[in-house]
């Protein structure tokens, strides 16, 4: 297996995207702005309701860490994605999509079962609400992972959504140990307020004795640290991670290492779909760090990439768009 810069672990989900009203969310008992898990029957019922009354926007290969990995790879670094898909048409679509984006995968990822799906509901204010049927990815384990690329990687990236799965947490524990043994840095995202609210113990296990970089948004940061300000949350998160990044939507980001913290201003765009924006931010940030940039520059690039994702429907940009944005960024910084 060829050496890669990033080894990422996450859920494999096919997204079905809809434009919806707040009234629809209320009628379906969905908590706006969060991800909620559901069984297959419940998701089929929601899908039928969506098709009957809401605006269908299309299908996309998703999953938080996968979106991050696509951004990282499309900007010019190499990546491997460890996941679990079913031996079905959606599973083939999913892995082919990653490979076409230049991301390495393993045949170990394929097993008997149903590939996970996610209903992504985008409100008029661009906020995304998700209902997820994990399918076979709920049973993601070390058996689906080829750990060889991790041994020579620069970064291990862990998706916080894995906090709900016993077998996935065990696999992450093994990956963390391999990373520490081979001096691979560890980055983790808290992923979603619902993970903080309902799977805190699982997140604690993923973080374990600390990481090198934590990504989270303002709400997740304050919920996880049980504080009432982003600055107080930052101070607590610094006890768990060498570097901390708290995204602040259109306001930008708060970034810190153990010696300093600073704000990086956001970009003004017309928000269309917030789905995948945080994932793209993480991918661009990691790409910049991996290429020797400092935290300030990494945050500026991440804000540029994520703001472009927000301005369009779908969790990702076309692969060529990432490279074009990077060239624009380099010219602006020259």
């Amino acid at each position: 297996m060829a050496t890669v810069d990033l080894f990422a672990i996450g859920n494999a989900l096919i997204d079905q995207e809809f434009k919806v009203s707040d009234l629809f969310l209320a009628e379906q008992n969905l908590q706006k702005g969060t991800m909620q898990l559901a069984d297959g029957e419940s998701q089929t019922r929601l899908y039928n309701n969506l098709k009957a009354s809401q605006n269908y926007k299309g299908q996309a290969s998703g999953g938080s860490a996968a979106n991050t990995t696509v951004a990282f790879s499309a900007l010019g670094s190499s990546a491997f994605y460890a996941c679990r898909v079913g031996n079905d048409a959606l599973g083939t679509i999913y892995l082919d999509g990653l490979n076409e984006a230049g991301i390495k995968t393993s045949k170990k990822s394929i097993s008997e079962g149903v590939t996970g799906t996610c209903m992504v509901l985008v409100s008029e204010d661009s906020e995304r609400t998700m209902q997820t049927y994990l399918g076979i990815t709920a049973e993601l384990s070390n058996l689906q992972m080829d750990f060889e690329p991790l041994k020579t990687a620069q970064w291990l990236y862990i998706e916080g959504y894995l906090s709900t799965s016993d077998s996935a947490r065990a696999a992450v524990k093994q990956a963390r140990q391999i990373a520490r043994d081979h001096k691979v840095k560890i980055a983790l995202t808290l992923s979603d307020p619902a993970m903080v609210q309902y799977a805190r113990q699982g997140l604690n296990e993923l973080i374990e004795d600390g990481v090198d970089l934590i990504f989270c948004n303002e709400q997740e940061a304050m919920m996880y640290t049980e504080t009432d300000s982003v600055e107080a949350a930052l101070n607590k998160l610094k006890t768990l991670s060498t570097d901390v990044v708290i995204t602040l939507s259109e306001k930008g980001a708060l970034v810190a290492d153990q010696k300093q913290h600073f704000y990086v201003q956001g970009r003004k765009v017309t928000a269309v779909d917030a789905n995948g924006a945080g994932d793209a931010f993480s991918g661009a940030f990691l790409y910049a760090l991996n290429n020797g940039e400092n935290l300030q520059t990494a945050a500026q690039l991440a804000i540029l990439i994520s703001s472009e994702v927000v301005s369009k429907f779908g969790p990702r940009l076309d692969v060529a768009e990432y490279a074009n944005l990077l060239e624009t960024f380099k010219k602006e910084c020259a």
Side-chain angles (χ1 to χ4, degrees), residues 42-76:
S42 297
Q43 192 174 80
T44 297
R45 184 165 56 250
L46 175 62
Y47 179 74
N48 290 336
N49 290 339
L50 285 162
K51 290 287 283 186
S53 65
Q54 305 299 302
N55 185 9
Y56 181 62
K57 301 300 292 186
Q59 175 177 289
S61 295
S64 173
N67 295 334
T68 294
T69 307
V70 167
F72 182 89
S73 175
L75 286 167

Side-chain angles (χ1 to χ4, degrees), residues 36-47 117 119 131-135:
Q36 299 172 54
L37 295 177
D39 56 32
E41 182 179 339
S42 297
Q43 192 174 80
T44 297
R45 184 165 56 250
L46 175 62
Y47 179 74
T117 51
M119 300 297 112
Q131 187 197 75
T132 300
Y133 170 54
L134 290 172

Side-chain angles (χ1 to χ4, degrees), residues 111-310:
S111 58
E112 291 303 317
V114 177
T115 299
T117 51
C118 179
M119 300 297 112
V120 181
L121 317 180
V122 182
S123 312
E124 291 298 330
D125 60 0
S126 81
E127 182 63 86
R128 100 288 185 267
T129 303
M130 298 182 292
Q131 187 197 75
T132 300
Y133 170 54
L134 290 172
I136 198 64
T137 197
E139 301 169 27
L140 175 65
S141 73
N142 61 343
L143 298 178
Q144 287 77 54
M145 298 185 191
D146 178 358
F147 287 117
E148 284 304 309
L150 174 58
K151 296 176 182 178
T152 53
Q154 298 299 312
W155 286 94
L156 165 64
Y157 184 76
I158 303 164
E159 174 187 304
Y161 286 120
L162 300 178
S163 58
T164 62
S165 168
D166 292 342
S167 59
R169 294 197 307 273
V172 168
K173 185 178 182 66
Q174 185 174 346
R176 285 179 55 95
Q177 187 58 56
I178 293 170
R180 291 305 191 205
D181 289 345
H182 292 84
K183 295 181 172 54
V184 178
K185 291 183 179 180
I186 301 173
L188 177 141
T189 172
L190 296 185
S191 290
D192 193 281
M195 296 301 98
V196 179
Q197 185 174 1
Y198 301 114
R200 177 183 293 272
Q201 183 56 45
L203 283 175
N204 292 342
E205 289 184 35
L206 296 182
I207 295 171
E208 205 175 46
D209 61 350
V211 296
D212 297 286
L213 176 57
I214 281 181
F215 293 102
C216 55
N217 65 29
E218 188 173 5
Q219 182 182 8
E220 294 156 2
M222 290 189 290
M223 286 178 64
Y224 186 72
T225 58
E226 299 179 320
T227 56
D228 57 6
S229 74
V230 67
E231 291 82 7
L234 177 68
N235 288 331
K236 283 200 172 184
L237 288 171
K238 285 171 63 177
T239 68
L240 302 173
S241 179
T242 305
D243 298 332
V244 178
V245 179
I246 302 176
T247 57
L248 307 170
S249 298
E250 70 280 358
K251 294 179 290 184
L254 175 60
V255 183
D257 58 21
Q258 294 300 306
K259 295 182 180 179
Q260 62 172 337
H261 71 268
F262 53 88
Y263 285 88
V264 181
Q265 186 175 0
R267 292 179 73 238
K268 289 185 178 181
V269 297
T270 300
V272 173
D273 180 3
N275 183 37
D279 306 328
F281 184 103
S282 299
F285 195 98
L286 286 167
Y287 165 82
L289 291 186
N290 189 61
N291 283 272
E293 302 293 351
N294 59 33
L295 294 173
Q296 178 91 27
T297 302
Q300 291 170 337
L301 175 63
I303 287 169
L304 171 63
I305 299 296
S306 60
S307 66
E308 289 298 313
V309 172
V310 168

Side-chain angles (χ1 to χ4, degrees), residues 55-104:
N55 185 9
Y56 181 62
K57 301 300 292 186
Q59 175 177 289
S61 295
S64 173
N67 295 334
T68 294
T69 307
V70 167
F72 182 89
S73 175
L75 286 167
S77 292
S78 58
F80 178 93
Y81 193 60
C83 62
R84 186 172 190 176
V85 298
N87 188 18
D88 55 15
L90 289 181
T92 299
I93 290 170
Y94 191 88
L95 293 181
D96 285 351
L98 290 180
N99 296 152
E100 288 167 6
I103 296 163
K104 298 176 176 63

